[in-house]
Amino acid sequence: MEIEKASEMGFCFGVRRAIDMVERAAREKGPLQTLGALVHNPQVVDRLATCGVNVVTNLDDIQGHIIAIASHGVGPGIMEQVQGRSLEVIDATCPFVRKAQVAARKMSEAGLWVLVYGDAAHPEVRGVLEHAGENASASLEVPDLDSLPSRLGILCQTTQNPKYFTEFLAGIISQGLSRFSELRICNTICDATSRHQAAALELAGRVDLMFVVGGKDSANTKRLARICTDSGVTTFHIEDATEIEPASLQGHSRIGITAVASTPDEVIDTVVAVLNEHVSRN
Ligand code: SF4
């Protein structure tokens, strides 16, 4: 049995930057809190807690005087509330997310309806929509085009798949190009996501079993697992090595491993070690 890791996987620039920022702040200024999980990975959240970085889900629960904004950012309303409470802000919003926020605001200021291809419930998308103001919506399906104004700006949740975004755009253009007097598209998918997905897909084409390692609450991990499954290979989404079922390895000769941007190296390394142990025993 052969085991191979995807050529691009694990912590991205934005996650590494966010973790470095809060760890440095906790070292220099003492305990602090993050508004929501800094990244969607329980091992990272647990490790940060040991450094004095804890999660609050509500501004009213903040104790102390420092709050960190996660890499997926927030809308201007939350930022105003934070500033109104005279809290010191560690803003770890990823620059790629910031780019989407700025694009949404500019499209809205130009009078366009802003349509975000993404999960409306995801914190990043909620923040981007808030930057666009009233005239904005998010969807993973082509919406009812008759309900939209004739000037439309489209952008994308940073971690969506380029192929699915392209299909979404094609759906809008084929169903209703003539309805729009202006159609502006801004590609706000981040480089890290595109590279991770391309590397996962390339590996999935060469193996007969894939493990996608990442938090169970991580939409990005679920999406990466779906991309591998859609390519036709048997795929398991696991959070860590304890979830590997030896029976699931039977009959497979080439195993691929990939992980999303929020999965720490040590979790990936343990998955590889456990699989190697299994290989050496069989
Ligand atoms: S996945 Fe992309 S947008 Fe998200 S934190 Fe990483 S670099 Fe930034």
Side-chain angles (χ1 to χ4, degrees):
M1 190 186 291
E2 284 175 39
I3 296 165
E4 191 178 342
K5 293 200 297 185
S7 57
E8 297 258 0
M9 63 194 288
F11 275 2
C12 63
F13 147 79
V15 165
R16 210 174 285 282
R17 173 177 172 272
I19 292 171
D20 285 351
M21 284 173 81
V22 297
E23 281 183 339
R24 191 176 338 114
R27 252 192 333 269
E28 292 172 0
K29 302 167 192 271
L32 60 98
Q33 289 160 310
T34 64
L35 190 56
L38 193 71
V39 295
H40 289 144
N41 182 279
Q43 290 90 355
V44 174
V45 171
D46 290 349
R47 192 173 59 73
L48 287 173
T50 65
C51 311
V53 179
N54 289 294
V55 180
V56 288
T57 49
N58 195 305
L59 285 177
D60 293 332
D61 296 334
I62 295 173
Q63 293 163 347
H65 64 285
I66 310 174
I67 187 79
I69 304 297
S71 52
H72 42 247
V74 293
I78 297 278
M79 204 51 121
E80 266 171 36
Q81 288 182 48
V82 166
Q83 282 158 353
R85 291 172 188 234
S86 304
L87 295 164
E88 183 177 343
V89 181
I90 311 291
D91 188 353
T93 305
C94 175
F96 288 105
V97 175
R98 178 82 67 219
K99 178 184 160 191
Q101 293 173 342
V102 170
R105 181 174 48 76
K106 285 188 174 166
M107 284 173 171
S108 174
E109 284 170 357
L112 281 81
W113 181 275
V114 177
L115 177 61
V116 180
Y117 175 68
D119 174 2
H122 190 281
E124 175 197 316
V125 176
R126 290 205 308 267
V128 168
L129 287 175
E130 213 191 292
H131 278 267
E134 302 270 290
N135 297 327
S137 55
S139 176
L140 287 165
E141 308 291 336
V142 174
D144 172 14
L145 299 185
D146 288 336
S147 67
L148 297 175
S150 67
R151 298 179 66 224
L152 183 65
I154 307 174
L155 46 83
C156 189
Q157 184 178 355
T158 54
T159 50
Q160 289 293 337
N161 174 262
K163 176 171 170 265
Y164 301 146
F165 182 44
T166 306
E167 287 169 4
F168 177 80
L169 295 173
I172 289 177
I173 289 168
S174 64
Q175 285 180 40
L177 186 59
S178 58
R179 291 168 209 260
F180 299 107
S181 61
E182 184 174 352
L183 202 50
R184 225 183 267 185
I185 297 165
C186 184
N187 179 10
T188 46
I189 296 177
C190 88
D191 279 358
T193 300
S194 304
R195 289 201 309 268
H196 280 185
Q197 292 177 350
L201 203 53
E202 188 274 329
L203 181 58
R206 291 188 287 108
V207 298
D208 55 15
L209 181 64
M210 280 293 287
F211 283 99
V212 180
V213 189
K216 288 288 188 224
D217 290 339
S218 158
N220 207 5
T221 314
K222 289 179 199 162
R223 197 169 304 119
L224 196 61
R226 179 181 151 205
I227 289 167
C228 295
T229 304
D230 284 355
S231 77
V233 70
T234 304
T235 302
F236 291 105
H237 171 183
I238 57 171
E239 197 161 278
D240 58 36
T242 62
E243 294 178 17
I244 298 171
E245 296 280 350
S248 68
L249 308 177
Q250 299 302 325
H252 295 287
S253 57
R254 305 192 70 189
I255 299 178
I257 300 169
T258 187
V260 287
S262 55
T263 307
D265 288 349
E266 52 272 28
V267 174
I268 301 168
D269 291 346
T270 310
V271 167
V272 174
V274 166
L275 287 173
N276 275 324
E277 238 178 76
H278 179 86
V279 170
S280 61
R281 265 192 266 115
N282 288 279

